Amino acid sequence: MSTETQQLKKKDFVSDQDVRWCPGCGDYAILASVQKIMPVLGNTQEGTVFVSGIGCSSRFPYYMNTYGFHTIHGRAPAFATAIKATNPKLDVWLATGDGDSLSIGGNHFIHLLRRNPNINVILFNNRIYGLTKGQYSPTSEKGKITKSTPFGSIEEPFNPSDVALSAKATFVARGIDRDTKHLGELMEVAAKHKGTSFVEVYQNCNIFNDGAFLQYTDKVSKLENCLYLEHDKPMVFGKDDNKGIKLDGLKPVVVSLEDGKHSIEDLLVHDQYAEDVTLAHILSSLSQKPDFPTPIGVLRSIEKPCYEDELVKQIDYAKEQKGEGDLEALLNQGDTWIVED
Amino acid sequence: MAQKVVETLKDVTVIFAGDSGDGMQLVGNELANTSAIVGNDIGTLPDFPAEIRAPQGTLAGVSGYQLKFGNYDLRTPGDIGDTLIAMNPAALKVNLPKLKPNGVLIVDTANFEKKNLALAKYESNPLEDYTLDKYQVFPVNITNLTREALKETGLDTRGIDRCKNFFALGMVFWLYNRPLDFTINIIKKKFAKKEKVAEANILALRGGYAYCEATEAFAISYEVKPAKLAPGKYRSIMGNTALALGLVAATSKAKKQMFYGGYPITPASDILHELAKHKNFGIKTFQAEDEIAGVCSAIGASYAGAIGVTATSGPGLALKTEAIGLAIATELPLVIIDVQRAGPSTGMPTKTEQSDLFQAVYGRNGDAPIPVMAAATPSDCFEMAYEATRIAIKYMTPVILLTDNYVANGAEPWKIPNIDTLKPIEYDHTADPDNFHPYTRNPETLARKWIIPGTKGLQYRIGGIERQNVTGNISYDPDNHQTMNDLRFEKVDRIANEYPATKVVGDEKGDLLVISWGGTYGATATAVERAREEGYSVSHAHLRYVYPLPNDLGGIIKNFKKVLIPELNNGQLVHLIRDKYVVDAICYSKVKGQPFVVGEIQAKIAEVIGK
Ligand code: SF4
């Protein structure tokens, strides 16, 4: 049919459901950027599945005019892995939050990354529990005052990219809801990665944790606080690119490019394809170090076999070795005997 | 040599008992296989500790295998042993109560020394005091005889001692006139890569047989003639294997992919092991990171169009609870198998119980109806697994299939079904895009359509938030919630319309109806049969479909003065029956990690009717 080749547009991926996030929520920007890249990626509505757990971000599938499954808290990785394994042709996306993936679903999250099915994960990190009305989350900063921590949180927060890298993720990146242009580009790269792509998005919850990421979005302060990563480029940041990251042994340090002591040649050069994970870990650690900028962009992108491909390979191998399953033969195998009439 | 004296028996129960490392399960299984192949009916009861190698010589470390073979339809592994083989004092102590007076008792005398007697908490040597007076005791130094027979094999003493189980089996084969060749073939296959070990085991088996022949240790030997089973082709099968084959059969008949997501747990893991072998049937097995991921992956697969299956035991079912609720809400097909074991909590993982019935029927948040079925015997697991899959797909619902450790690990002859007679498994993944809603229902079954991702023009979103009937959109409308709740119950209730009629064995009216479900079938059926022979007015109805209860059961119950329900729990079906039929059903509960023996139920029948 000729209509099938019709070029789809962003609006074709917008479902007929009313979006029910709070006005001003960072989720809107993320939704819009995902809807926008669908046609760019050549996706079809029927060939795309959005899976989610529970939380504000997990309402995502309802707003996409694709197949969608809003599952249970923290478990979306297991659903998504199986959907991909059942039908590897589907383009599977997973929308999740900091509580969903790093608290209740921590186990599933790490095992998803370890298995590496070709799935795109977007983790909306707002560092708070929104849907349950404002308790601290596993990414909330220590000392955070919330309804459940009136005297401040006494727990060390997770840095999602640390967890992802330790779980052997093949693609780890970070974006920001307000920087929609960069976010769109990032989503596209992530989607094209073969294997599980993990994108953490700093997402403002303007109701319960407003301004949590202001330092990365404010016009002036973001220059000091964001390190935009580009493959094969030296790591510079600051107003007029006046600073950089240099390695002192294994220790990253911030150096000035203005004091005459360091030049751009001294700086660390980003290699997102490095097989060795050390550089990515060093970069990931920066966001929790005071006086360092937070890396934004792709921290790591390597190729490894995908779970579903390996699974299908084994099935093909079994069929090659034993032939297509023959039920009659299977039921009759082993020692049998006949009872005569 | 004197002529061998052979006496013919109707049935025989043999118990092998030793340390958990003594290979008792292995030789028990071999006697079962050979007996099945020579045409006897068999019933087996493996009974082993949860520890892989429990401390040697202790009472806790005893591993036993009870087997009955006979010339008629048996149904149980026997109430009491005719012959007991005890490899050490602990094995003797644990199993002696199961040996009938004047029963044959073979003991390996090598282990009846101070240390092992103390471990078994014997104050004096039972071989030398009065403990064994009422039995026919055959003290044989099996350990030494095996060492003697195998000294040329080149194996070290440890290796040789591992073969003494086959020496004991050889003796039993002589005693019951069983052929050796089936076992010899199995040994050759099992140890194909360890020729020396295969040779040694065969030598030990022959050694045990020859020892009896030469020493005329037993005055008489026995034989059991083939059973008159229904004509057909048979093989011996264990419950978990039968269950896995039932799933493969469903996959194959449905011409669908099966996706099995599960986490290892005793006693269900063998289902995963068996399915993992059959990848050439397009079966995808996924060893998940935990029980929750196991069921969630199965639901995800089912959403994507595969037959989603998960198997577990009680503690695992508890973990899967929330996800099962999602499958109910999203109305997706899913097969959940619970191989029950003794609980609560970790309980006794290798012991049997039927105590997850409440969990299966009621154990979820919200009103969450789910069909619950139960397999009656090892071979019935095949049929019930197939049936659970068929119902799940036809009604777009999760189904819980309950088996138990006794059924899962027991073996019996299985008449191999003709695959053409299996009911068709039907589904339809298509719909008219102009007129499609995810919750439009089949007027007869109330099932929604199984539309799968990848289907053009039908993309839809579902989830655990209450859905508007028909459209499937999120809805908090009060009346809609009532409607959807009612529909969920009504749909499951309608499944009962296609159950086969409940069979009443015995008269249709009488003093007592005994109702059993699941693995208590064999003991109950035999107990009722014997009580009837003794003149009691008692009948038997067995349930394989437990929720919803069969439509005809209420009418059947009305014809009896009393109802008795034997269960391996504190009385769970009895609650369901009382609740539904407002009848004062009597509970006969046993919670010892062991199945009922026939005599227990028979005595209870007499007691209840006598009152
Ligand atoms: S509570 Fe916060 S995260 Fe949730 S929708 Fe509202 S603004 Fe967004």
Side-chain angles (χ1 to χ4, degrees):
Chain A
M1 280 192 291
S2 60
T3 50
E4 282 187 359
T5 53
Q6 230 172 38
Q7 183 57 47
L8 295 171
K9 304 227 165 52
K10 178 190 169 196
K11 67 168 175 26
D12 296 311
F13 288 92
V14 177
S15 81
D16 59 357
Q17 299 297 294
D18 295 332
V19 183
R20 299 197 196 187
W21 287 312
C22 306
C25 174
D27 291 0
Y28 284 94
I30 304 172
L31 176 64
S33 69
V34 171
Q35 287 168 335
K36 206 161 134 190
I37 60 153
M38 285 285 126
V40 179
L41 292 168
N43 274 35
T44 60
Q45 297 156 323
E46 69 274 10
T48 310
V49 185
F50 277 82
V51 185
S52 65
I54 294 290
C56 290
S57 58
S58 289
R59 297 292 176 94
F60 203 94
Y62 292 114
Y63 309 138
M64 295 294 301
N65 187 16
T66 62
Y67 282 89
F69 199 174
H70 181 212
T71 70
I72 50 178
H73 207 7
R75 323 300 176 196
F79 291 89
T81 303
I83 291 169
K84 187 70 184 176
T86 299
N87 184 356
K89 282 195 221 128
L90 297 170
D91 187 33
V92 180
W93 291 69
L94 198 157
T96 181
D98 39 325
D100 195 52
S101 264
L102 294 170
S103 197
I104 191 166
N107 194 26
H108 311 300
F109 175 69
I110 57 175
H111 288 280
L112 167 71
L113 298 174
R114 172 175 76 84
R115 292 191 181 104
N116 196 40
N118 190 8
I119 287 173
N120 312 303
V121 181
I122 312 168
L123 186 146
F124 297 50
N125 184 6
N126 56 14
R127 296 188 178 158
I128 198 81
Y129 283 121
L131 200 60
T132 50
K133 298 196 165 64
Q135 301 81 8
Y136 75 108
S137 91
T139 57
S140 296
E141 58 280 13
K142 204 168 175 181
K144 177 107 191 153
I145 297 193
T146 70
K147 280 182 193 156
S148 59
T149 50
F151 301 104
S153 153
I154 54 172
E155 296 174 18
E156 196 62 42
F158 264 143
N159 177 12
S161 52
D162 281 355
V163 180
L165 289 168
S166 301
K168 302 208 177 310
T170 54
F171 184 99
V172 179
R174 181 183 290 123
I176 304 176
D177 55 1
R178 295 271 166 89
D179 191 347
T180 48
K181 186 170 169 289
H182 179 263
L183 186 63
E185 289 163 9
L186 194 58
M187 292 288 184
E188 197 182 325
V189 183
K192 286 181 178 157
H193 171 73
K194 192 150 166 43
T196 307
S197 61
F198 171 68
V199 180
E200 174 196 7
V201 183
Y202 283 164
Q203 173 248 320
N204 191 42
C205 168
N206 55 312
I207 303 295
F208 296 110
N209 202 13
D210 196 21
F213 304 103
L214 200 60
Q215 48 182 327
Y216 310 118
T217 53
D218 172 82
K219 254 196 197 137
V220 180
S221 66
K222 79 174 185 191
L223 297 175
E224 298 299 318
N225 294 319
C226 294
L227 172 69
Y228 275 87
L229 298 170
E230 275 183 80
H231 178 67
D232 219 15
K233 295 274 165 65
M235 296 184 193
V236 291
F237 69 103
K239 188 162 174 275
D240 305 324
D241 289 345
N242 63 346
K243 288 187 229 173
I245 306 286
K246 185 190 149 212
L247 265 196
D248 241 359
L250 279 179
K251 213 175 109 195
V253 288
V254 173
V255 295
S256 162
L257 296 176
E258 290 172 337
D259 61 4
K261 287 188 192 146
H262 293 93
S263 76
I264 207 143
E265 265 82 69
D266 299 322
L267 301 185
L268 193 52
V269 174
H270 186 36
D271 180 5
Q272 67 190 40
Y273 305 119
E275 196 57 43
D276 188 280
V277 74
T278 315
L279 174 67
H281 267 300
I282 291 170
L283 285 174
S284 174
S285 72
L286 300 186
S287 54
Q288 286 187 319
K289 285 191 205 297
D291 308 324
F292 276 88
T294 281
I296 306 292
V298 180
L299 280 81
R300 178 169 172 80
S301 172
I302 59 157
E303 289 260 336
K304 267 194 191 166
C306 295
Y307 181 81
E308 68 279 10
D309 293 343
E310 297 295 294
L311 186 63
V312 169
K313 235 192 257 171
Q314 277 198 342
I315 289 184
D316 290 345
Y317 178 76
K319 285 183 178 168
E320 213 180 279
Q321 293 291 306
K322 297 189 187 175
E324 197 74 41
D326 176 347
L327 182 60
E328 182 92 45
L330 176 68
L331 299 189
N332 284 279
Q333 85 184 4
D335 285 320
T336 59
W337 69 96
I338 307 276
V339 174
E340 306 283 355
D341 229 333
Chain B
M1 202 182 293
Q3 178 84 33
K4 195 169 177 182
V5 184
V6 182
E7 194 179 299
T8 303
L9 300 173
K10 272 171 66 191
D11 61 61
V12 167
T13 299
V14 177
I15 303 167
F16 288 95
D19 250 335
S20 56
D22 278 346
M24 295 293 99
Q25 304 301 322
L26 181 63
V27 290
N29 235 325
E30 279 322 308
L31 180 58
N33 275 335
T34 292
S35 301
I37 294 167
V38 300
N40 297 137
D41 194 6
I42 57 166
T44 72
L45 175 61
D47 187 10
F48 44 85
E51 298 77 15
I52 304 304
R53 290 276 183 274
Q56 256 186 350
T58 62
L59 296 166
V62 173
S63 169
Y65 190 101
Q66 183 174 326
L67 161 74
K68 185 175 184 178
F69 48 94
N71 69 359
Y72 59 96
D73 181 11
L74 283 182
R75 303 194 202 109
T76 76
D79 280 14
I80 190 142
D82 297 297
T83 294
L84 167 64
I85 298 91
M87 303 299 280
N88 65 16
L92 177 69
K93 186 150 207 184
V94 171
N95 288 283
L96 198 58
K98 296 182 204 154
L99 183 63
K100 71 174 187 194
N102 204 35
V104 172
L105 173 62
I106 302 170
V107 286
D108 181 0
T109 54
N111 292 318
F112 282 71
E113 34 63 48
K114 235 174 145 189
K115 184 179 138 221
N116 276 297
L117 288 167
L119 282 170
K121 309 214 160 32
Y122 272 122
E123 271 158 27
S124 69
N125 189 342
L127 297 179
E128 289 158 9
D129 60 22
Y130 307 105
T131 316
L132 306 177
D133 276 5
K134 56 174 173 167
Y135 307 101
Q136 305 177 51
V137 187
F138 298 92
V140 182
N141 196 325
I142 293 177
T143 303
N144 273 355
L145 285 165
T146 308
R147 285 181 189 166
E148 199 56 37
L150 269 56
K151 66 172 184 240
E152 310 283 325
T153 56
L155 291 181
D156 58 11
T157 317
R158 245 183 84 130
I160 288 175
D161 283 355
R162 284 221 189 109
C163 301
K164 64 187 178 189
N165 55 340
F166 277 102
F167 191 96
L169 182 65
M171 293 178 71
V172 174
F173 274 179
W174 186 91
L175 185 60
Y176 291 108
N177 286 288
R178 317 261 94 178
L180 303 182
D181 37 340
F182 299 109
T183 298
I184 289 173
N185 277 336
I186 299 259
I187 294 174
K188 281 185 185 156
K189 252 192 244 166
K190 191 174 157 75
F191 301 106
K193 291 202 184 97
K194 297 182 195 158
E195 223 174 283
K196 247 191 194 174
V197 178
E199 246 171 60
N201 278 314
I202 293 168
L203 216 53
L205 179 75
R206 290 215 164 103
Y209 197 92
Y211 169 82
C212 297
E213 190 98 358
T215 61
E216 294 177 22
F218 307 106
I220 9 178
S221 73
Y222 306 91
E223 67 169 358
V224 175
K225 291 262 171 10
K228 282 165 208 66
L229 300 174
K233 191 172 179 189
Y234 283 80
R235 66 186 271 198
S236 167
I237 200 149
M238 283 169 64
N240 272 343
T241 315
L243 198 149
L245 294 185
L247 294 172
V248 178
T251 308
S252 177
K253 283 292 266 194
K255 298 199 174 48
K256 262 215 158 296
Q257 203 187 122
M258 174 164 287
F259 184 99
Y260 176 97
Y263 188 74
I265 185 168
T266 303
S269 305
D270 282 341
I271 298 171
L272 167 61
H273 305 160
E274 183 67 30
L275 287 175
K277 287 189 221 161
H278 305 306
K279 291 209 157 69
N280 59 329
F281 283 84
I283 293 173
K284 292 176 177 164
T285 53
F286 177 67
Q287 185 175 313
E289 57 272 23
D290 60 23
E291 293 281 359
I292 299 172
V295 65
C296 290
S297 64
I299 299 170
S302 158
Y303 173 71
I307 301 173
V309 181
T310 188
T312 186
S313 188
L317 185 62
L319 286 165
K320 294 178 195 295
T321 295
E322 185 196 10
I324 295 171
L326 178 71
I328 293 172
T330 50
E331 305 191 32
L332 284 167
L334 172 70
V335 180
I336 305 141
I337 295 134
D338 174 5
V339 185
Q340 299 167 98
R341 63 190 218 191
S345 186
T346 305
M348 301 192 286
T350 57
K351 308 293 173 192
T352 202
E353 213 160 272
Q354 294 181 299
S355 46
D356 292 344
L357 180 60
F358 278 172
Q359 183 176 216
V361 175
Y362 300 123
R364 284 162 299 282
N365 64 306
D367 274 342
I370 194 170
V372 179
M373 305 177 185
T377 65
S379 64
D380 191 40
C381 290
F382 176 87
E383 208 172 305
M384 292 313 271
Y386 187 92
E387 180 70 352
T389 313
R390 188 185 70 82
I391 296 280
I393 292 175
K394 180 167 177 184
Y395 289 86
M396 291 292 282
T397 179
V399 173
I400 294 180
L401 171 58
L402 296 174
T403 74
D404 58 53
N405 185 56
Y406 169 68
V407 165
N409 283 313
E412 67 174 353
W414 174 45
K415 189 176 158 193
I416 300 167
N418 175 349
I419 57 176
D420 299 328
T421 61
L422 297 171
K423 287 186 192 164
I425 295 181
E426 287 158 349
Y427 50 85
D428 177 9
H429 291 320
T430 62
D432 168 15
D434 294 327
N435 222 333
F436 168 70
H437 293 293
Y439 281 78
T440 305
R441 293 171 190 282
N442 175 314
E444 187 203 336
T445 60
L446 296 181
R448 72 177 190 91
K449 273 218 162 170
W450 192 8
I451 300 300
I452 59 178
T455 317
K456 196 171 166 60
L458 301 181
Q459 57 273 9
Y460 67 98
R461 277 72 49 192
I462 47 170
I465 302 182
E466 184 64 287
R467 297 133 313 273
Q468 175 98 46
N469 192 24
V470 184
T471 69
N473 293 331
I474 290 181
S475 167
Y476 287 89
D477 176 60
D479 291 337
N480 176 70
H481 182 48
Q482 179 82 54
T483 304
M484 289 296 273
N485 213 52
D486 294 348
L487 280 166
R488 286 188 284 266
F489 275 96
E490 175 65 23
K491 181 175 85 168
V492 171
D493 281 346
R494 287 192 189 185
I495 296 170
N497 295 342
E498 62 172 277
Y499 292 172
T502 307
K503 248 196 251 156
V504 178
V505 178
D507 301 317
E508 273 168 32
K509 268 183 188 327
D511 291 342
L512 180 67
L513 176 70
V514 185
I515 302 177
S516 59
W517 70 277
T520 49
Y521 164 76
T524 311
T526 307
V528 170
E529 192 177 277
R530 290 194 194 154
R532 289 181 58 78
E533 280 163 15
E534 286 172 12
Y536 286 101
S537 164
V538 56
S539 302
H540 177 213
H542 180 78
L543 306 182
R544 294 154 88 217
Y545 300 88
V546 189
Y547 188 89
L549 286 164
N551 295 333
D552 55 5
L553 188 60
I556 293 170
I557 287 174
K558 280 205 185 92
N559 290 328
F560 292 87
K561 290 185 193 143
K562 287 178 182 171
V563 174
L564 173 69
I565 302 177
E567 287 181 89
L568 299 175
N569 57 45
N570 194 40
Q572 299 192 6
L573 180 70
V574 82
H575 275 275
L576 263 68
I577 298 278
R578 284 180 190 159
D579 175 29
K580 173 122 196 216
Y581 305 109
V582 200
V583 53
D584 188 14
I586 300 160
C587 166
Y588 180 34
S589 144
K590 176 177 178 179
V591 194
K592 297 184 175 184
Q594 298 292 336
F596 277 115
V597 296
V598 175
E600 289 171 333
I601 299 177
Q602 209 183 332
K604 188 75 189 175
I605 291 169
E607 180 199 316
V608 169
I609 294 181
K611 257 192 234 164

